[in-house]
Amino acid sequence: MSDIPCVQDRPIVRPFWFYLGPAFLVSVGYMDPGNWATSLEAGSRYGYALLWVITLASLIAILVQLLAARLGVATERNLAQLIAERYAGWRAKGLLATAALAMMATDLAEFLGVAVALNMLFDIPLPIAVVLTVFDVLLILWLERFGFRWVEMTIIAFVATISLGYVVELLIIQPDMAAVATHTFLPNATITDSTALFIALGIIGATVMPHNIFLHSSQVLTRLRDANHDKRRIYGILKWDTVGALLAAWMVNSAILITAAAAFHEQGLLITDLDQAYVTLGPLFGEAAALTFAIALLASGVASSTTATLAGQIVFEPLLGRPVNIARLRLTLRLLTMIPAVIAILASAKPLGLLVLSQVILSMQLPFTLLPLILLVSNRALMGDMTAPRWMVGLAWACALLIIALNLGFLFSGE
């Protein structure tokens, strides 16, 4: 119920700031441990050469999240609900099942980041640290008791922590800004290398994440609580929210790769694990750099795990066709995704490799989320006067085809 009475036939006008927040909740998924894994390997292996991939992926992400917000505001339903309604039977189940698998791959990356950060900061053995990550699920359940604003403000605090951490890292490491400027926007031939293509797909999967599309289309509904509201004005404000939040995420992602390039590539070091980055930063740039890295990673893991599990509920309810017990669902998902992580850790596999692989899985699933989104936002019968403009739909199709082409290129590369 709204705390402001509705005036008949007159849209309620709330202040600008009331509508801000959904995109910042989503943005933390764009700077999660999966991004750290792909950007660290990209920077340490290829220097600044793949920085333009982060820029491209971020531009695609802004477009996609604008479409997700538009869909939610126009229809007052989230993407998962609309898929269940519009693609009944095996098509809906298949699309939602692939999204559910993507959620599990996402959660794998998030809690591995938390576990590695706990290991760095407190020297907790990784298998025990993995088990301790179950407490971030309890954090979500506790925060939700106080309403969506508390969840959003907590996530924004984590985003600020991550951002500040990388400002400090850049000040300590002092990268070559001329080289950064050269590679930020201009593509190069590095991506023709099969390993570079694998990492580029990981960057795209880590940036344009399927669960963020579902989450954003749902979170904007918290701004439509009034019985009488102006959808166009609300969407107009949410556009600023989306662009601002994702530009911040682009800067953090770029900073991760820049840090890896300046700290490791220029020293001839190839980083193949997160804890290797932590151990190497200390001797090279002092303990402050290593500690900042670990604290920012912990904030990233906890915050992104929170949003990933929030998205899980959105997808699983229409997939199962009934309301779900949120606590039971989140604990079950966490336990299921723990299994491959614990096996990999006990087998002495490198968590970073598992993180990068999880992001490539997300890239493979992404078209199964993008295609329904594009079809829905271009459906005038569904969207009415908020149907996405042709130029926006055209760009979205181009992005979807590019991602499909990159995925096929990787599959046929023999990697």
Side-chain angles (χ1 to χ4, degrees):
M1 294 292 292
S2 170
D3 55 359
I4 299 179
C6 175
V7 179
Q8 187 68 28
D9 298 327
R10 185 183 301 170
I12 290 176
V13 178
R14 289 184 181 270
F16 180 89
W17 59 262
F18 172 82
Y19 299 102
L20 302 179
F24 281 90
L25 185 72
V26 168
S27 73
V28 75
Y30 290 91
M31 53 186 85
D32 74 331
N35 291 84
W36 288 55
T38 54
S39 295
L40 279 172
E41 183 164 357
S44 67
R45 188 182 292 271
Y46 297 105
Y48 304 111
L50 294 180
L51 189 55
W52 67 273
V53 178
I54 291 179
T55 301
L56 174 64
S58 299
L59 290 173
I60 295 173
I62 290 173
L63 174 65
V64 168
Q65 297 301 159
L66 286 172
L67 292 177
R70 181 185 284 267
L71 181 70
V73 172
T75 66
E76 301 191 25
R77 283 166 290 176
N78 65 54
L79 177 59
Q81 292 170 331
L82 289 166
I83 287 175
E85 292 172 11
R86 297 271 166 166
Y87 304 100
W90 65 268
R91 289 183 301 166
K93 296 293 185 185
L95 289 169
L96 292 171
T98 63
L101 290 173
M103 303 294 174
M104 294 180 68
T106 300
D107 202 36
L108 172 64
E110 322 302 31
F111 82 75
L112 267 178
V114 176
V116 172
L118 290 173
N119 174 257
M120 291 174 182
L121 290 167
F122 307 110
D123 202 26
I124 300 171
L126 272 178
I128 297 175
V130 167
V131 174
L132 290 177
T133 61
V134 74
F135 286 105
D136 65 16
V137 177
L138 302 179
L139 170 67
I140 303 162
L141 295 172
W142 180 73
L143 283 174
E144 286 185 324
R145 295 169 53 200
F146 303 100
F148 68 89
R149 278 289 186 194
W150 278 94
V151 177
E152 289 178 355
M153 294 307 296
T154 301
I155 296 301
I156 289 172
F158 279 121
V159 170
T161 301
I162 301 164
S163 303
L164 179 60
Y166 266 93
V167 169
V168 173
E169 290 284 7
L170 293 176
L171 290 174
I172 293 172
I173 294 171
Q174 296 185 350
D176 180 355
M177 296 310 295
V180 169
T182 301
H183 291 91
T184 299
F185 301 104
L186 297 177
N188 55 68
T190 304
I191 200 172
T192 56
D193 177 79
S194 59
T195 302
L197 178 58
F198 178 80
I199 296 172
L201 282 175
I203 290 173
I204 293 172
T207 305
V208 192
M209 302 176 78
H211 84 279
N212 277 334
I213 301 172
F214 288 97
L215 180 61
H216 203 181
S217 68
S218 177
Q219 196 64 20
V220 297
L221 303 183
T222 61
R223 272 54 179 183
L224 303 177
R225 292 185 165 187
D226 299 317
N228 205 10
H229 48 248
D230 184 344
K231 289 185 178 181
R232 283 197 166 277
R233 176 176 180 267
I234 293 172
Y235 176 64
I237 298 173
L238 290 173
K239 285 195 289 188
W240 288 102
D241 182 50
T242 301
V243 173
L246 296 194
L247 283 177
W250 166 68
M251 288 188 283
V252 171
N253 284 333
S254 298
I256 296 170
L257 188 147
I258 292 166
T259 297
F264 307 125
H265 182 74
E266 293 181 8
Q267 304 288 335
L269 299 172
L270 175 61
I271 297 300
T272 58
D273 217 339
L274 290 169
D275 59 355
Q276 184 183 356
Y278 172 73
V279 170
T280 308
L281 276 172
L284 287 176
F285 300 100
E287 289 305 315
L291 182 62
T292 301
F293 177 88
I295 292 172
L297 178 61
L298 180 63
S300 167
V302 173
S304 54
S305 183
T306 302
T307 59
T309 49
L310 287 170
Q313 179 198 351
I314 295 166
V315 170
F316 271 92
E317 284 195 347
L319 176 61
L320 299 175
R322 56 182 172 79
V324 297
N325 181 297
I326 299 172
R328 186 181 303 166
L329 171 67
R330 291 172 182 170
L331 287 171
T332 301
L333 284 176
R334 177 51 51 86
L335 292 173
L336 285 174
T337 48
M338 276 183 184
I339 294 171
V342 172
I343 292 172
I345 290 167
L346 294 177
S348 298
K350 296 294 186 182
L352 183 60
L354 199 58
L355 281 170
V356 175
L357 177 60
S358 72
Q359 304 313 295
V360 175
I361 292 171
L362 293 180
S363 178
M364 295 291 179
Q365 194 282 333
L366 187 56
F368 296 100
T369 299
L370 275 183
L371 297 181
L373 174 68
I374 297 169
L375 291 171
L376 289 169
V377 296
S378 56
N379 185 332
R380 185 163 295 277
L382 174 69
M383 299 287 291
D385 63 355
M386 288 193 67
T387 305
R390 290 182 180 179
W391 68 265
M392 207 171 185
V393 174
L395 278 178
W397 278 116
C399 293
L401 292 174
L402 173 63
I403 292 167
I404 292 170
L406 289 173
N407 285 333
L408 291 175
F410 171 71
L411 289 174
F412 287 108
S413 69
E415 269 297 297

